C-alpha cells in the first residue's frame, strides 16, 4: 500500500468511528437494496462512500480502482432507473408542504 494510502487509512482508524460508520452504512444500504425497500434513499446514502472510494484510488492507490468503478457504474444505473424519485430533490424552487 502506498504511503499516502496507509496514512489516510491510519487517520480513519484513529477516529475510531469512521470505519464502523462506513461499514454500518454499507450494511444498511445492502439490506435495503436486497429487500427492494427505500431504494432511492439507499442510493443517496451510498453515493458519498462510492465517491470517496473512487477519489481514494485516483489520488492514493490507482491500482485497485476497478471494483470501485464497477460499483459506481451500478450506482449510476440504478439512480437513472429511479430518476423520477429524485426529480423533486432537483427542483430549483419548492414550497414547503406542496408536492
Amino acid at each position: 500500500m502506498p504511503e499516502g494510502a496507509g496514512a489516510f487509512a491510519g487517520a480513519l482508524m484513529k477516529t475510531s468511528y469512521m470505519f464502523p460508520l462506513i461499514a454500518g452504512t454499507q450494511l444498511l444500504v445492502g439490506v435495503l437494496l436486497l429487500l427492494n425497500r427505500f431504494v432511492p434513499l439507499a442510493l443517496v446514502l451510498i453515493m458519498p462512500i462510492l465517491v470517496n472510494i473512487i477519489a481514494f484510488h485516483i489520488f492514493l492507490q490507482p491500482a485497485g480502482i476497478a471494483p470501485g468503478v464497477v460499483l459506481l457504474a451500478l450506482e449510476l444505473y440504478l439512480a437513472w432507473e429511479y430518476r423520477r424519485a429524485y426529480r423533486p430533490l432537483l427542483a430549483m424552487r419548492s414550497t414547503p408542504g406542496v408536492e
Side-chain angles (χ1 to χ4, degrees), residues 4-77:
F8 180 72
L12 290 179
M13 279 189 229
K14 285 182 182 179
T15 66
S16 74
Y17 80 91
M18 189 56 76
F19 278 137
L21 176 65
I22 293 168
T25 302
Q26 290 173 338
L27 180 64
L28 174 65
V29 166
V31 169
L32 290 174
L33 291 175
L34 287 173
L35 295 176
N36 197 26
R37 302 282 190 235
F38 302 105
V39 173
L41 175 62
L43 296 175
V44 168
L45 290 174
I46 201 66
M47 185 52 102
I49 294 172
L50 290 174
V51 168
N52 277 291
I53 288 170
I54 296 297
F56 174 85
H57 285 291
I58 287 172
F59 295 108
L60 299 174
Q61 191 180 23
I65 197 168
V69 169
V70 170
L71 290 173
L72 184 62
L74 291 170
E75 162 84 14
L76 293 174
Y77 169 75

